[in-house]
Amino acid sequence: MLNYSLYHHPTNEDWVTFVHGAGGSSSIWFKQVREFRKHFNVLLLDLRGHGNSKPALKDAFNSKYTFDSITEDIIEVIDKEHIKKSHFVGISLGTILIRNLAEKHPGRVQSMIMGGAIMKLNFRSQVLMKLGIVFKSVIPYMLLYKFFAFIIMPKKNHKQSRLLFANEAKKLYQKEFVRWFRLTSEINPLLRFFRAKDIKIPTLYVMGEEDYLFLPSVKKVAASHKLSQLYVIKDSGHVVNVEQPEVFNKETIAFIGRY
């Protein structure tokens, strides 16, 4: 089972579950926990192979990671804690997992906060993925990871986010990185389905105005899905919760409070 932490609120029964992105861990939410604990019960988890969720023995013989299997890891945790329904907050690839969870288990999702959401891979990001697939087994994964991080978060004010994710990624093993990278083969058809289907769950997309790879597609999705809203944070790149935590916390807590 995944490693996770719980913070109980003395009176409010609402839960907020945080889902980090690839190469990160639950520690990337350190600028959110203090504020969210004041209002809600909080669940932080480390996705498989990340943080303190070490690879299980069964995974050593199963190199096939899928979005569905990783989504079920999250369900296993909230089932164990008897959490019937939760608000979900995700960043980057974590938003894909949350959207997939909402598709498979819509009754478990009260609302979705999608930070640095990935809803489409543009031409440049698809080229990057293909390069990664070609070189993933011959180039040390940290070099690849730092390269991708720089492409996604290139500006000076994105440096803190790049360093944070690079430090977390060091905890991964090369094999684990390769397994996660294989998920890219699933991404395009999955995102195409997500863009086409309005799931009708209250959703707030929180994007940095400098998130040039992913913001354009999110604008279109937020405009076409009925219960979706978009909040764009100025002077911020992809990892909005780290670069502009005060704005991120204020807007997301207010949104969750309405549902």
Side-chain angles (χ1 to χ4, degrees):
M1 180 172 283
L2 301 181
N3 176 73
Y4 64 94
S5 303
L6 299 170
Y7 299 92
H8 291 276
H9 191 275
T11 56
N12 195 342
E13 294 184 0
D14 284 355
W15 280 92
V16 178
T17 301
F18 288 87
V19 183
H20 64 80
S25 77
S26 57
S27 67
I28 69 148
W29 303 110
F30 70 100
K31 293 186 178 182
Q32 278 67 58
V33 174
R34 181 181 295 178
E35 284 303 310
F36 274 78
R37 286 178 64 185
K38 294 177 183 177
H39 306 276
F40 314 105
N41 299 290
V42 171
L43 168 60
L44 301 171
L45 51 81
D46 292 328
L47 297 174
R48 66 167 73 172
H50 292 68
N52 290 318
S53 292
K54 299 304 179 186
L57 182 61
K58 62 183 175 65
D59 294 329
F61 302 100
N62 178 18
S63 60
K64 178 78 173 159
Y65 278 30
T66 66
F67 282 105
D68 283 352
S69 64
I70 296 168
T71 298
E72 290 307 312
D73 289 346
I74 300 171
I75 290 294
E76 184 181 22
V77 172
I78 64 175
D79 279 349
K80 182 176 184 293
E81 293 301 328
H82 307 290
I83 299 170
K84 294 180 180 178
K85 203 165 188 175
S86 177
H87 303 274
F88 286 85
V89 181
I91 195 75
S92 194
L93 184 134
T95 64
I96 301 178
L97 295 171
I98 289 171
R99 179 59 179 80
N100 194 51
L101 191 152
E103 187 64 38
K104 304 293 181 182
H105 306 275
R108 311 299 293 272
V109 182
Q110 202 159 341
S111 73
M112 300 186 290
I113 306 289
M114 312 289 250
I118 301 174
M119 292 302 292
K120 185 178 181 179
L121 298 182
N122 64 13
F123 178 74
R124 183 180 295 188
S125 52
Q126 289 194 52
V127 169
L128 284 173
M129 290 298 180
K130 287 177 181 177
L131 285 173
I133 290 168
V134 171
F135 293 111
K136 69 180 185 298
S137 298
V138 294
I139 294 178
Y141 79 92
M142 279 307 301
L143 287 179
L144 266 181
Y145 194 88
K146 287 178 179 179
F147 173 69
F148 287 133
F150 186 78
I151 295 297
I152 295 170
M153 302 171 273
K155 294 197 171 187
K156 187 177 181 180
N157 57 308
H158 306 165
K159 185 177 180 180
Q160 183 186 7
S161 299
R162 288 198 305 270
L163 290 175
L164 176 63
F165 270 77
N167 287 334
E168 286 300 317
K170 287 176 184 175
K171 300 174 185 177
L172 288 175
Y173 299 104
Q174 178 87 13
K175 284 186 177 180
E176 199 70 17
F177 176 82
V178 169
R179 285 170 175 166
W180 275 83
F181 210 95
R182 288 189 183 124
L183 282 173
T184 57
S185 63
E186 288 187 48
I187 281 183
N188 278 330
L190 197 60
L191 294 184
R192 195 178 304 118
F193 174 75
F194 291 163
R195 293 194 303 273
K197 183 178 179 182
D198 184 352
I199 200 169
K200 296 183 174 63
I201 290 175
T203 305
L204 176 64
Y205 292 95
V206 187
M207 305 293 291
E209 66 172 352
E210 298 165 353
D211 194 354
Y212 69 100
L213 281 182
F214 304 116
L215 178 57
S217 59
V218 170
K219 284 181 177 178
K220 293 178 181 178
V221 170
S224 62
H225 291 185
K226 285 185 179 179
L227 296 181
S228 294
Q229 302 174 34
L230 170 63
Y231 188 88
V232 179
I233 300 181
K234 293 183 178 181
D235 303 316
S236 182
H238 184 58
V239 191
V240 284
N241 67 302
V242 172
E243 293 178 30
Q244 297 282 354
E246 293 85 5
V247 179
F248 182 89
N249 294 347
K250 179 184 175 184
E251 295 300 323
T252 55
I253 288 171
F255 179 81
I256 291 173
R258 293 197 288 272
Y259 299 97

